[in-house]
Amino acid sequence: MQKDDDPGAAPARADALPGEVYATVQAGEDFQELRRRFRRFAFPMTAAFLGWYLLYVVLSGWARDFMGTELVGSINVALVFGLLQFVSTFLIAWLYSRHADNKTDPLAAKLRSELEEASHGS
């Protein structure tokens, strides 16, 4: 367990109410860093995906000639863009999994163990 003077520390009091324990952890530096790491990935990736999806929707509605351009046989630009939506979804999920494994999960595990220690009074 960390010292009481560390802003990222979970409370050392075994008699603390669960709400107090969680509020203290939430206010700590480690929790704030966890939130920053998550947001640093989630917000830009969400914006990028929404932009990509809206591009697909807008082009489908207002650039029908372009989207109807046949690339190979009867496969057109719209079909390729539609399939790339699935590809980008799986790519983002894979990237998030790597991000979580490397950036957020270790810190979340540390916080969880400190919180369990504080709430069980060890």
Side-chain angles (χ1 to χ4, degrees):
M1 171 117 25
Q2 297 177 349
K3 294 180 181 179
D4 289 338
D5 59 352
D6 184 350
R13 293 181 19 218
D15 62 337
L17 297 174
E20 292 173 349
V21 173
Y22 294 125
T24 302
V25 169
Q26 185 177 6
E29 186 60 36
D30 285 343
F31 186 81
Q32 297 305 316
E33 177 61 24
L34 180 63
R35 289 177 56 169
R36 275 190 292 275
R37 290 179 186 184
F38 172 77
R39 289 176 176 171
R40 213 174 292 139
F41 178 88
F43 290 172
M45 195 59 68
T46 299
F49 182 78
L50 286 175
W52 160 238
Y53 176 73
L54 289 175
L55 174 68
Y56 174 65
V57 171
V58 167
L59 289 175
S60 294
W62 286 279
R64 293 180 182 262
D65 291 338
F66 170 71
M67 294 297 270
T69 304
E70 291 185 353
L71 301 174
V72 177
S74 61
I75 297 174
N76 61 18
V77 173
L79 180 61
V80 171
F81 273 34
L83 292 174
L84 286 174
Q85 292 292 318
F86 289 101
V87 171
S88 63
T89 300
F90 287 109
L91 177 65
I92 290 169
W94 177 73
L95 289 171
Y96 178 72
S97 175
R98 289 190 48 179
H99 172 78
D101 285 346
N102 296 322
K103 303 286 184 185
T104 59
D105 287 352
L107 187 53
K110 177 184 172 206
L111 283 168
R112 182 176 36 252
S113 70
E114 289 174 0
L115 184 59
E116 288 170 352
E117 286 176 18
S119 64
H120 289 88
S122 48

